[in-house]
Amino acid sequence: MEKPLTQHINLQQPLSLKEYEAKGGYSAVRKALKMTPQEVQKMVQESNLKGRGGAGFNTGMKWSFVPMGENAPHPKYLVANADEMEPGTFKDRLLLEGHPHQLIEGMIVAAYAIQADISYVFLRWAYKKAAALIRKSIAEAYEAGYLGNDILGSGWSLQMHLHTGVGRYMCGEETALLNALEGKRATPRAKPPFPQISGLFGKPTIVNNVETFCCIPHIVNNGADWFKGLSKSEDAGTKIYGVSGKVNRPGAWELPMGVTVRELIEEHAGGMKNGYKIRGILPGGASTDFLTVDHLDVKMDFKSVAAAGSRMGTGTMIVMDDATCPVGFVHNLQHFFAQESCGWCTPCREGLPWVERILLSIEKGEGRTEDLELLQMHAQFLGPGNTFCALAPGAMEPLQSALKYFRDDFERHIHQKGCPY
Amino acid sequence: MLSESEIHAIDHEVSLVPHKKAAVIEALKVVQQHHGWVSDEKLEEVAAYLDMSPAEVDSVATFYNLIFRKPVGRHVILLCDSISCYVMGYKKLYEALHEHLHIKFGETTPDGRFTLLPNACLGCCDHAPALMVGEDLYRDVQVQDLENILAQYK
């Protein structure tokens, strides 16, 4: 089984530029520079690579909206979203700490495809080890002539900077991230215009997730068909999946797109710890709907998880065991979302704290039967179409599915006037 | 007054962006690196230096949870309180820290040694529960580990 993204991962001593070159590293930059930018875009589009940050949009298609040619506005920007903060998600940390040059190579190829001039790695504050490694790797890439002016004699130039954030989940939303890079509050922007047309400082900008960029060198080296062939499903490539919670071997693994939930939990994560059973699963981070033991044979790809009523999201799942109170679990999630709401639009700013307080009162045994209807109502009011960005709708996904699958638990709290766990 | 080294560092950040205002977060980071936190006085100086109003700078400063607008201890403990650490028992760590240091979330020990803050997902979900002290990350933390961890920070 091929594992292109993680074959060179080394968490103790990641490859230096020279070591990576010896293993074929940066050959994708050399190859891409011999192609036209449009050819690179087309190749990535045909590979059917979908964004690994959670939204799952075709990456090459996303790039294709950037104005190209002599009359295109400059500077154009390219940003790696390394602000990994979705609760339960730890896949980009692995790529950043284990093989930083793969990200940089992918960013250079992507920047060439859209003819960007300036690029940023937007890294969350907490990833200290990654920051040091990326800083060192960018310096090595400049020294080797893969960054800077007239890259490998192509006439094309690219600068790259590391930007470390100062907190807030909202920075992971791509337009909020751009506001943060401009030194503003990280609130989302209205779309359209989309960042491809008017992004950072009003210029054409592409923002992609770390894992997405890490796929790019392999697609350019091996072709679109090879990338599609890595997968077990309609969605192409491999995926970094993860499992956390009370399992025997929590971790992250690169596997063909489309492995089942069961395979991830039972084989890779070693099954549940002794004495615990699976109660629910958030398949792709905090802002995805619960799946249950009835969904263990669902394939982990964008389409199959959607058909099961949830989203693949980041592909890093959180397992809720039978000794963990679902009400307390969902309260923890809503506490996070209420705290991280940027306050820009009313349903999210006002609604999430109400949801959090209602859940807390139920957990403490002070809930009323009608509170469940109130929660259900919020799940609709804060759902898709009523807010500026996806934060509140994402927050409602685990809430609405918890009300569906674990309603008995909510009712027991109310009737027994306390938490039975 | 902003010190020479603060101004030097802020000027460098300003040189990397198309207009001065865009460097405000970096400027606040510079001030915090020098003083541990951002006081009203320093915030006003940053505002004057970047041709912004103090209110505009404060709107940015208060948005980001790792820009400190109150004094903090010499070492800031960030305890992850997100979902995987919740499942794996971060609350036991909180209770033990509270018992040991006699402070709650948001508080600083009277000797100015530690500030205890909750933090959203640290991205160590496969090694939960996790916490950071200053810039150091600790994973798979058990209550009995805490004393040795804290002893390293004077």
Side-chain angles (χ1 to χ4, degrees):
Chain A
M1 185 170 30
E2 286 187 89
K3 299 188 177 193
L5 271 66
T6 53
Q7 60 185 335
H8 298 314
I9 290 274
N10 186 335
L11 291 168
Q12 271 68 48
Q13 187 68 52
L15 296 181
S16 68
L17 185 134
K18 286 267 173 292
E19 290 164 337
Y20 183 39
E21 279 182 324
K23 293 177 188 294
Y26 285 93
S27 56
V29 173
R30 293 176 188 280
K31 188 172 174 190
L33 289 176
K34 292 191 186 112
M35 299 163 69
T36 66
Q38 283 81 358
E39 281 169 346
V40 179
Q41 284 191 21
K42 192 161 167 267
M43 195 174 190
V44 172
Q45 193 166 337
E46 282 172 1
S47 79
N48 198 22
L49 168 64
K50 290 181 177 173
R52 304 298 200 231
F57 192 77
N58 182 299
T59 302
M61 175 101 73
K62 186 174 185 176
W63 296 356
S64 73
F65 301 123
V66 173
M68 298 294 285
E70 280 177 19
N71 297 325
H74 282 274
K76 293 190 218 172
Y77 293 97
L78 181 103
V79 184
N81 185 345
D83 194 54
E84 182 167 67
M85 246 181 115
E86 178 73 22
T89 301
F90 50 98
K91 67 182 181 68
D92 294 339
R93 189 194 269 272
L94 177 70
L95 296 168
L96 291 161
E97 293 182 354
H99 191 11
H101 275 296
Q102 177 172 244
L103 167 68
I104 292 168
E105 184 183 16
M107 288 176 69
I108 296 170
V109 173
Y112 175 74
I114 64 156
Q115 291 289 290
D117 309 277
I118 302 172
S119 57
Y120 291 94
V121 178
F122 190 105
L123 182 71
R124 69 173 298 196
W125 175 92
Y127 285 11
K128 292 292 173 193
K129 188 176 167 192
L133 289 167
I134 289 168
R135 207 169 277 129
K136 172 174 167 272
S137 304
I138 290 176
E140 286 179 339
Y142 266 105
E143 206 171 312
Y146 295 121
L147 284 170
N149 296 329
D150 189 21
I151 295 170
L152 305 179
S154 65
W156 171 66
S157 304
L158 177 71
Q159 311 305 321
M160 189 178 286
H161 310 289
L162 172 67
H163 175 96
T164 51
V166 270
R168 294 309 290 264
Y169 175 64
M170 269 308 294
C171 294
E173 199 277 341
E174 72 173 10
T175 60
L177 181 152
L178 297 177
N179 277 339
L181 265 180
E182 290 185 12
K184 298 172 183 162
R185 291 165 73 93
T187 52
R189 297 178 180 177
K191 293 188 270 194
F194 286 88
Q196 291 99 315
I197 308 295
S198 176
L200 189 61
F201 300 112
K203 301 293 186 185
T205 305
I206 281 291
V207 183
N208 282 135
N209 170 260
V210 167
E211 188 184 349
T212 309
F213 281 125
C214 289
C215 294
I216 303 294
H218 307 290
I219 293 170
V220 168
N221 280 332
N222 303 304
D225 288 334
W226 167 86
F227 189 71
K228 286 184 201 164
L230 294 173
S231 162
K232 282 186 176 179
S233 79
E234 272 181 41
D235 294 320
T238 57
K239 175 82 192 77
I240 314 277
Y241 292 108
V243 180
S244 68
K246 291 192 189 111
V247 291
N248 283 314
R249 290 191 305 273
W253 314 274
E254 182 181 14
L255 296 164
M257 183 72 90
V259 298
T260 64
V261 175
R262 186 188 302 280
E263 192 181 331
L264 281 169
I265 296 177
E266 291 180 2
E267 283 181 37
H268 299 284
M272 296 300 286
K273 281 192 171 165
N274 214 353
Y276 296 102
K277 290 196 183 91
I278 301 172
R279 197 67 209 292
I281 299 145
L282 298 179
S287 47
T288 57
D289 280 277
F290 276 100
L291 298 177
T292 69
V293 280
D294 296 335
H295 299 111
L296 290 178
D297 294 313
V298 170
K299 283 182 175 183
M300 283 289 283
D301 60 54
F302 293 103
K303 200 174 162 186
S304 309
V305 183
S310 185
R311 286 190 306 119
M312 185 163 85
T314 62
T316 39
M317 60 176 65
I318 306 140
V319 179
M320 183 175 78
D321 57 87
D322 59 342
T324 297
C325 170
V327 177
F329 187 99
V330 176
H331 172 259
N332 177 275
L333 296 174
Q334 300 306 323
H335 168 76
F336 167 81
F337 288 115
Q339 172 187 287
E340 295 299 329
S341 170
C342 75
W344 185 247
C345 69
T346 311
C348 180
R349 181 186 63 240
E350 304 298 322
L352 288 172
W354 274 106
V355 168
E356 185 196 348
R357 271 175 257 159
I358 294 168
L359 287 165
L360 184 62
S361 70
I362 296 174
E363 176 69 356
K364 285 162 65 181
E366 295 160 7
R368 309 161 305 170
T369 308
E370 56 267 37
D371 285 341
L372 297 183
E373 298 319 307
L374 208 53
L375 287 173
Q376 195 70 56
M377 198 175 79
H378 275 79
Q380 271 125 38
F381 281 163
L382 303 191
N386 297 327
T387 58
F388 230 79
C389 82
L391 188 143
M396 292 303 99
E397 291 179 24
L399 175 67
Q400 70 190 10
S401 46
L403 288 170
K404 183 165 77 183
Y405 295 126
F406 313 119
R407 199 174 184 92
D408 288 358
D409 284 286
F410 285 82
E411 286 169 351
R412 267 208 294 164
H413 279 73
I414 293 168
H415 297 144
Q416 296 179 9
K417 299 196 187 307
C419 177
Y421 286 85
Chain B
M1 286 289 288
L2 293 169
S3 68
E4 214 168 286
S5 97
E6 284 171 292
I7 286 178
H8 180 75
I10 293 171
D11 283 346
H12 172 70
E13 297 300 336
V14 168
S15 76
L16 296 175
V17 285
H19 48 83
K20 273 202 220 173
K21 263 169 101 162
V24 64
I25 295 176
E26 296 304 318
L28 290 166
K29 277 158 75 175
V30 166
V31 168
Q32 185 159 299
Q33 264 161 21
H34 281 74
H35 305 278
W37 67 296
V38 180
S39 64
D40 288 351
E41 191 194 5
K42 285 287 165 193
L43 184 127
E44 282 168 23
E45 286 165 12
V46 167
Y49 196 73
L50 297 178
D51 297 329
M52 296 170 75
S53 74
E56 210 178 349
V57 177
D58 208 13
S59 82
V60 172
T62 54
F63 185 88
Y64 295 97
N65 57 308
L66 294 167
I67 297 290
F68 302 134
R69 286 287 280 116
K70 287 181 188 172
V72 290
R74 293 193 293 284
H75 310 287
V76 176
I77 304 170
L78 297 173
L79 178 62
C80 179
D81 67 349
S82 287
I83 194 64
S84 303
C85 287
Y86 170 83
V87 170
M88 301 309 287
Y90 90 84
K91 281 191 176 167
K92 282 186 190 147
L93 295 183
Y94 172 74
E95 282 156 19
L97 285 167
H98 176 56
E99 199 172 306
H100 200 79
L101 301 172
H102 308 290
I103 49 173
K104 297 186 191 123
F105 278 142
E107 293 179 350
T108 301
T109 53
D111 60 0
R113 189 170 158 216
F114 289 113
T115 296
L116 178 59
L117 296 173
N119 203 80
C121 188
L122 288 172
C124 294
C125 319
D126 50 343
H127 292 282
L131 59 84
M132 289 179 80
V133 185
E135 301 198 346
D136 305 328
L137 176 67
Y138 295 92
R139 316 184 305 168
D140 296 309
V141 182
Q142 302 300 312
V143 167
Q144 60 269 25
D145 304 333
L146 288 172
E147 206 169 314
N148 281 337
I149 292 174
L150 295 179
Q152 298 171 48
Y153 301 91
K154 301 298 171 193

